[in-house]
Each structure stands twice: as C-alpha cells, then as structure tokens.
C-alpha cells in the first residue's frame, strides 16, 4: 500500500468520526488531538501532507484492541453486530492494519491474529454449503459475533462504571483528626502491688534486714497512724491528744494510736505539750510546720 | 454533665473515621472507648439507651464484653476504675444512623451507607465547588483500566487470561497492579489449571469507592442476543 | 447544576480540609476561575449579585456551570480559566460561618475557631469516645522507683537518707519528685536531726491506686512466695 493511500485512509477514518459525533463520546477528545496536529484541523489537510507516526499512534491508542476497532468499523456502517458483513469489515480492517504497517508502527500481535481470524471466516462463508445441512451448520461468523457482543457489553459496563458517582469526583471523604489522648491526660506508668512487694523484698534482702520481716505486718498499722498524726500536724500546729484516739476503733485502735505517739516521740518527730496541769494535752510537730517542698 | 446522646457519639466517630464504619464496628468502638471514658464521664450520665444488657450484643462485641466482665477493673490513665460499660444494641445504633441521615439532608455533607459501612462525605452538589476551591481535579481512569475493572466486577472470580479473552488484547501488568494498589481488586485464589493463574475479584474498597453497597447494585450488564442464523442473510 | 448555598460549600470545604481555614483563605479558595469575564457584569459586582447563592450567575458562566456537573471550572474555548472570580465577600463568608456555628450547636461535631482559622472537630462531650486509641505503651517505672516507693510504704515516715541506707544507694530527687507528682508520696514532716530532712510517707492516693483501704492491707513480706533456693531464709 502506498503512503498516499494510507493518508487517505486516515482522513477517511477521521471524517467518519466527524460525521458521527454522537457515536462515542470518549473517542472525540482523542480525535481532536489527532486533528490538531500541526495546529491544523485534519479535514483541511492536503492529501500529501505527511502524518507523523506519533499522530497515528495516538489514533491507534484510541482503540482498545482489535475487537474495539471492529466495533468501530461496524458502527461506522450503522450495522448491527448481528448483521455483520464479514467481507466488507475484513477489507476495512485489513486496510487499517496495512496502514499501521505502512507507518512501521509496532503492530500489536492481537491485531494480526484478528486479521487471520477474519480471513478464515470470510473463506468459510464463501464455501458452498451442502443442501439440507443449513440448519445444523453453524454460522461461521457466530464465534466472532459472540466475542464482539460480549466485548461490547463490557465496554458499555465500563462506561457505566465511569459514570457512577464515585469518590474523589462526586464525593470527597471526610476524616476529621481525632483528638489525641495526650491532649487530655498524660499516660502514666502502672504498677502492680506484687511489683511493689517484690521490689521491697529485694531491697530488704540486699540490706541484710530480712530477719526482721516478721515484724512488718503488725507495725504497719502503727506506721500508718504515725503518718496520719504527722499529716494532721501539718494542717494544725496543735493537735489535741484526745483527737488522736477514736473510740470506735476499739481497744486495739487506741493501743495503735498510743504506740504511734510513743514512736513519734522516740523518733523526736513530735512533742507533747500541756499548758498547765489538767489543761488539754497537745501534740506538736517538733520541727514546726512541715513544708511540702521535696527535700 | 448532661447525658450524651448515642447519636452524637456515632456522629463524631464517623466524622473522625478514616474508613466507613459498620454497625458492628461502631458497637465495638463504643465498648472499647467505654473503658477510657470512665474518668471523664460520670457513669451516672451514661445515656440509658446505652446501658443495655449483654444479651443484645453479638459476635465480637459480645466476646469483648464477656472478657470485660471477667475483669471489670479497667485502668484509666493508670487509675483503677470500675465502670459500667456503656453499650448500645445494633438496633439503637441503626436508629441513630438513620436519624443522622435525615439530620444531614440538604447539607454540605451527608451520611452515606456503602459496602463496608457508613461514612460522611461531601454532598454531590457541593463536591465540584470543593474540588475547585482546593484546586483539585478528579482523577480520570483509562478505558483499559475501566474495562478491566468492569470485567473483573461482573465476571469475578476471573483470571487475567480470561479478561484478555473478553477484551481481545493483553491486559498490562501495570493496570492489574494499579487496581490492586487502589484496593479495588485482589487475588482470591488460584485456578486449578496449568500454571495455576491467580483469580481476581473486586473488594469492598471497590464498592466503597463507587458508592455501592452490594455488587448487585452495579448497573445491569446488557444481554447477549442470538445472532441471525439464516444462511441466506449472510452477505459476503 | 442547582444553585448552592455558599454556607454548604464552606461546610463541605471545612470538613474536607486537613487544616483550619481562615476567612481570608476561604475567600481566596472560593473563586471561579474564568479567563473571559466579558459575559459577566463587572466581576466586582459578582459577590453582591450572588448574595448567599450562586443563582445569580448569568450568561456564559451560568450556562457552563449548569452543564459542567462534574467540573465547574469555567472553560473558554477549551482553555482553562485564568482569572479567578471571587464567589463571596469576607462578610458573606463570616455570615456563613456563624450560621454554621449555630447549625452545629449541640451536635457531635462543632465548628471551632482556632488560632489559624475555622475547623470542624468533635464536640467536647463526645471527645472521650473519639480519642485516638493509645498508640504508645505506657512507660514503665524504674526498679529504683519501685524500691523507693516500697521502702516508703513499709517504713514510713522515712527520710531520704534512711531510704538510701536501706537501698545502699542514693535516691535521686527525680524519683522522689515523680512519686510526689503522682500523689503517692508526700512530705509529712521534718526530722529533728541536722539538716531537718523531710519525712516521706504514702498518701491516700497511693492506697486508692492499689485498691487498699489501709496500709496494713499491704501484703506482708512473708506472703511473697520465696524461690526454692531461698526457702531456708524464710524461717530466719
């Protein structure tokens, strides 16, 4: 095929599209790109104008394979797929393939396979049929028609899919930032009671004080009372002696409180003061009012 | 602190969620959060509709509850806290969701149900304006990608060779990879034929993206028609 | 494309924005990009014509807006628009913002003005339910801290020097400060010895944390199961 014939073929294809604006919405923009090569609409182009191979490639890319090209050729003839004229379609298809070859484009193998298939169908259609066998004889075009129909279904499905309202086009996702936990409160480490006890056990062992362990259980209530008395002395300089004791705690509670006071006196932490004989007895912190500042 | 309506909690959860949340996921979130909320919310203020019996809960949520029941002491910021776990039944969550859906009618954002749950999204009328304001363009997809995606969606599970059969041309690896990276398509198995090719199927992410709840919400595929069989009609 | 209230565009824009947007930023973003304004009345008049809706658009631009359902970007002879036309004045944007603020009163999310502008965020009341899940693990306390706390608990009131005596190693101020900050330990007095050292004791908060009512509820040292090798030591 000569180059000028090839160019004519391209022009024919382009004009077909111009006449059939409504046939395929998607192909039009690509056609326009093709038409605007060198800044000129292609229909005004003289026949011997050189078409750069890139332009043809762009054109080629508008078809999603041989089935798509065949569908285009069928539509161009305003034909139903079911009434496909194999000879005519094959000729047009072959022209197109020849055109691609003329421009030395790397022809995708599938286009050549389809060319062979079309040739086979065409020759089978030309074969004379034995009389009476028509009903059983399968239409040689049937397989191709089914493939074309099937492809067309999915081509349409893809178009419908493209028209479905979707994210990033019809809808934008919303994802407000979550407030961080750190904004509310700091995460603090947790301790288990066992951890505390085992830490104590270890330190006691290390200090060689283990033999005293048996006394710990009992004095704890006294130690606690000592702490409570000291705490009370932080709130008030003078703590009435009687207030240390709570009769509701019973005899044992009173004893614990008393031992705690004795222990505090022994450790020089508190003093007992009495203004006069039979006057109320007060506990006073020996160091005065403790301050809360560490060390 | 006045009682908090379940609806408002769900509203905020959905607005702050990266992905759509299903009713079950919302339930789970409410249980999970409950332990963290004890310090900030007086248990007395927990809305009555959230103080439900464990019987209303199902599946994972129920499991969570049972394990929570074994150990009711939860630690909140390192402080022990024994709190009644505020809960909501699936029904109550559904009611709240449909109340929210009508609350947001005619607003700039709307509550949409998609395959993997509920999400807030910009309303269709407003989106073009938002895109323009953000100087963003909606992404476009090639015909090759859309056709491949459509074939997978309608004929799943399907091998790449079968897709190529329909399209009559090779499917580029790039397209399959893009579809997988977008979480629209995934390999669901391998076909028992020589070479054991991967079987591709669409994901929930695909349905979410196209605002669909189920695969059958896709537009119907055209029917195949029988070709005219009369030999005389064949024009050669 | 039906006319859209400016408020709804701002609503969606703020919801879809990653950062807060100021009135100036909103005004800058809420534009129509058109390179040919000849069909419009004076561009300066556009905002007042439009009031709160965009229904006031006329001629070419209006036509383009209605037809371009997907992209409202005005194109002139296929060229993207160059000159942005403001859609609203600062006043109109402020009005829309305050309308939105009242619309979202009592909802799960609210329109909040922060330093850099306006943003939607979850309401205070529902924040506990929306808090980002703890991504980082709670830090752990050092062995030294645990030992110090244990010694204070079992031997209170006690000075730092006495703790150091027991531990055989210095107690850092940091540890004592940490224990005080957690409200587990406090100074209950000062010992009448040179330097008047602070006497440390545990607090009610300490008992609460460990779910104890009294200090004597602390496990006795003997309760701790001894390793077999040290079994003989127990009887000492």
């Amino acid at each position: 095929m000569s180059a000028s014939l090839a160019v004519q073929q391209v022009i024919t294809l382009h004009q077909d599209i111009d006449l059939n604006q409504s046939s395929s919405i998607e192909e039009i923009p690509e056609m326009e790109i093709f038409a605007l090569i060198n800044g000129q609409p292609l229909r005004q182009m003289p026949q011997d104008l050189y078409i750069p191979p890139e332009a043809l490639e762009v054109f080629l890319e508008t078809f999603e394979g041989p089935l798509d090209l065949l569908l285009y050729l069928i539509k161009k003839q305003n034909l139903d797929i079911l009434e496909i004229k194999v000879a005519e379609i094959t000729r047009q298809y072959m022209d197109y393939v020849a055109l691609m070859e003329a421009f030395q484009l790397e022809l995708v193998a599938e286009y050549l396979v389809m060319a062979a298939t079309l040739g086979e169908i065409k020759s089978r259609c030309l074969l004379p049929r034995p009389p009476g066998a028509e009903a059983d004889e399968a239409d040689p075009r049937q397989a191709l028609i089914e493939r074309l129909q099937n492809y067309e279904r999915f081509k349409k499905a893809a178009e419908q899919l493209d028209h479905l309202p979707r994210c990033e086009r019809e809808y934008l996702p919303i994802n407000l930032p979550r407030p961080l936990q750190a904004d509310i409160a700091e995460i603090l480490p947790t301790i288990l009671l066992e951890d505390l006890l085992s830490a104590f056990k270890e330190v006691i062992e290390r200090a060689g004080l283990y033999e005293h362990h048996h006394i710990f259980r009992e004095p704890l209530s006294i130690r606690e009372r000592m702490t409570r008395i000291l705490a009370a002395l932080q709130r008030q300089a003078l703590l009435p002696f009687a207030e240390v004791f709570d009769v509701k705690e019973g005899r044992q509670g009173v004893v614990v409180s008393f031992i705690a006071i004795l222990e505090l006196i022994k450790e020089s932490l508190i003093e007992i003061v009495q203004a006069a004989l039979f006057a109320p007895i007060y506990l006073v912190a020996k160091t005065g009012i403790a301050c809360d500042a560490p060390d | 602190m006045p009682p908090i309506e379940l609806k408002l909690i769900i509203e905020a959860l959905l607005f702050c969620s990266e992905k759509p949340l299903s009713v079950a996921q919302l339930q789970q979130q409410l249980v999970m959060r409950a332990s963290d909320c004890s310090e900030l919310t007086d248990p007395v203020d927990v809305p009555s509709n959230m103080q439900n019996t464990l019987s209303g809960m199902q599946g994972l949520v129920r499991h969570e509850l049972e394990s929570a029941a074994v150990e009711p002491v939860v630690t909140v910021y390192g402080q022990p806290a024994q709190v009644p776990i505020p809960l909501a039944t699936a029904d109550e969550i559904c009611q709240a969701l449909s109340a929210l859906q009508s609350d947001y009618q005619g607003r700039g954002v709307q509550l949409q149900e998609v395959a993997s749950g509920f999400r807030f999204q910009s309303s269709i009328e407003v989106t073009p304006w938002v895109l323009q304001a953000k100087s963003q363009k909606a992404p476009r997809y090639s015909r090759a990608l859309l056709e491949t995606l459509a074939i997978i969606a309608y004929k799943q599970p399907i091998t790449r060779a079968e897709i190529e059969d329909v399209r009559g041309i090779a499917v580029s690896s790039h397209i399959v990879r893009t579809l997988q990276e977008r979480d629209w398509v995934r390999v669901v198995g391998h076909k028992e034929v020589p070479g054991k090719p991967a079987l591709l199927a669409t994901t929930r992410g695909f349905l979410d993206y196209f605002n669909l709840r189920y695969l059958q919400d896709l537009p119907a595929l055209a029917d195949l028609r029988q070709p005219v069989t009369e030999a005389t009609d064949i024009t050669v």
Side-chain angles (χ1 to χ4, degrees), chain A residues 16-262:
Chain A
D16 292 335
I17 290 155
D18 272 351
L19 294 170
N20 281 311
Q21 288 268 331
S22 59
S23 65
S24 170
I25 297 158
E26 281 168 302
E27 287 168 23
I28 289 162
E30 272 81 14
M31 288 303 116
E32 278 173 0
I33 293 164
F34 179 54
L36 286 171
I37 290 298
N38 295 339
Q40 291 291 318
L42 190 58
R43 59 179 175 275
Q44 294 170 8
M45 184 180 65
Q47 289 209 352
D48 56 350
L49 183 77
Y50 170 71
I51 300 171
E54 309 89 70
L56 196 64
E57 265 187 285
V58 170
F59 183 70
L60 173 66
E61 279 166 16
T62 64
F63 294 110
E64 293 290 330
L67 291 174
D68 197 28
L69 174 59
L70 278 175
L71 280 180
Y72 165 76
L73 294 172
I74 292 163
K75 270 218 182 96
K76 197 182 73 168
Q77 296 183 340
N78 279 323
L79 282 180
D80 190 310
I81 295 173
L82 301 184
E83 289 152 25
I84 179 172
K85 292 185 177 70
V86 178
E88 179 62 22
I89 292 294
T90 304
R91 209 194 65 237
Q92 288 181 9
Y93 183 89
M94 290 311 201
D95 283 352
Y96 186 78
V97 168
L99 180 71
M100 285 191 277
E101 280 176 331
F103 280 94
Q104 293 176 327
L105 292 175
E106 200 189 321
L107 204 55
V108 186
E110 284 90 344
Y111 283 96
L112 296 174
V113 173
M114 180 56 74
T117 308
L118 286 170
E120 193 208 328
I121 294 168
K122 190 175 147 190
S123 49
R124 278 181 61 196
C125 288
L126 288 169
L127 284 178
R129 278 154 222 280
E134 289 139 50
D136 300 333
E137 186 78 11
D139 185 340
R141 308 170 306 166
Q142 189 163 342
L144 179 65
I145 287 170
E146 275 174 10
R147 283 191 77 191
L148 282 169
Q149 266 199 310
N150 199 38
Y151 173 67
E152 195 183 32
R153 293 162 86 202
F154 288 104
K155 191 184 166 181
K156 277 192 184 136
E159 281 165 19
Q160 285 175 320
L161 193 64
D162 200 23
H163 289 121
L164 283 180
R166 65 184 190 220
C167 280
E168 300 180 278
R169 195 179 64 190
E170 275 78 20
Y171 306 110
L172 297 170
I174 295 168
N175 181 16
L176 297 181
R178 286 192 165 194
L180 290 168
Q181 200 141 43
D183 297 344
I184 305 295
E186 194 189 344
I187 299 168
L188 294 170
T190 54
I191 300 181
L192 295 173
L193 198 53
E194 298 90 88
D195 298 338
L196 196 66
L197 184 60
S198 77
F200 188 58
K201 191 208 83 165
E202 220 164 85
V203 76
I204 293 298
E205 279 174 351
R206 214 165 56 222
L209 299 172
Y210 197 74
E211 60 269 29
H212 300 307
H213 78 271
H214 62 278
I215 62 161
F216 289 137
R217 168 163 273 209
E218 195 46 32
L220 272 178
S221 56
I222 294 164
R223 296 247 151 224
E224 182 179 41
R225 194 59 53 98
M226 286 163 70
T227 295
R228 216 193 290 170
I229 292 166
L230 285 175
L233 283 170
Q234 274 194 302
R235 293 191 296 270
Q236 50 194 106
L238 292 173
L239 180 65
F241 183 76
E243 273 185 28
V244 177
F245 303 95
D246 186 352
V247 285
K248 279 183 277 180
E249 290 178 337
R251 188 193 179 89
Q252 208 185 342
V254 173
V255 170
V256 164
S257 294
F258 189 67
I259 296 171
I261 292 168
L262 292 180

Side-chain angles (χ1 to χ4, degrees), chain B residues 122-135:
Chain B
S122 62
S123 304
I124 191 162
E125 307 82 27
V126 180
T127 303
W129 298 97
V130 176
L131 279 174
Q132 189 194 280
K134 295 177 87 173
S135 303

Side-chain angles (χ1 to χ4, degrees), chain B residues 202-223:
Chain B
T202 54
T203 62
R204 267 199 221 163
F206 160 76
L207 294 173
D208 289 350
Y209 189 84
F210 288 95
N211 236 37
L212 303 170
R213 287 171 62 194
Y214 309 104
L215 212 52
Q216 63 256 39
D217 292 343
L218 278 171
L221 201 57
D223 289 331

Side-chain angles (χ1 to χ4, degrees), chain B residues 1 4 7-9 11-13 15-16 29-30 33-34 36-37 40-41 50 73 75 77-80 86 100 103-104 106-109 122 125-126 128-135 137 140:
Chain B
M1 198 186 244
I4 300 160
K7 187 177 83 170
L8 302 187
I9 298 169
E11 184 181 26
L13 277 175
F15 268 122
C16 295
Q29 292 242 14
L30 288 167
R33 305 285 165 201
D36 288 346
C37 297
L40 299 148
T41 316
M50 291 181 63
V73 177
T75 310
Y77 309 136
Q79 307 288 321
L100 281 172
D103 287 355
Y104 278 89
R107 294 218 65 96
V109 291
S122 62
E125 307 82 27
V126 180
W129 298 97
V130 176
L131 279 174
Q132 189 194 280
K134 295 177 87 173
S135 303
K137 288 231 166 166
R140 286 163 184 263

